[in-house]
Amino acid sequence: MAVTMQQVRKALDPEEPDYAEAAELGPDALPHLEKLVRQGDPMLSSKATYLAALIPHGRSANVVKLAAESGEAAVRVAAAAAA
C-alpha cells in the first residue's frame, strides 16, 4: 500500500495521535517520517520519531538515529524514549 505524506500528517496532526492506529501505515510511512524529522518542527519531529519506533522495520532505527542527532532537545528526548 502506497502511503502519502498527507496520510502521515493526518495521523500525526492531532495533539494526542493514536500511535497504534498510525503504526498500521507500515514501512511505507518511514520515508515520510524521516522527512518530517529532517524538517525540524520539534513537535512534529518528535511525534514522527515515536511513530517510526513503533513500525517494525529495519529503517525505523535509522529514523530514530537521525532524531537522536537533532539539534532540538525535544526530538532527542523522543529518540531516547523510542530507543
Side-chain angles (χ1 to χ4, degrees):
M1 161 178 104
V3 174
T4 66
M5 176 63 89
Q6 182 179 10
Q7 289 172 297
V8 172
R9 289 294 304 259
K10 182 178 178 184
L12 294 177
D13 278 343
E15 188 172 325
E16 292 291 330
D18 182 341
Y19 288 104
E21 182 178 306
E24 292 177 13
L25 292 171
D28 287 345
L30 291 170
H32 302 299
L33 295 171
E34 182 175 332
K35 185 174 183 177
L36 292 172
V37 169
R38 287 185 187 279
Q39 287 179 343
D41 174 322
M43 181 62 76
L44 191 55
S45 293
S46 61
K47 290 178 182 182
T49 300
Y50 187 75
L51 177 55
L54 297 178
I55 297 173
H57 191 273
R59 190 167 179 185
S60 297
N62 295 337
V63 177
V64 174
K65 182 179 182 293
L66 177 65
E69 298 167 351
S70 172
E72 294 289 340
V75 180
R76 291 192 310 271
V77 168

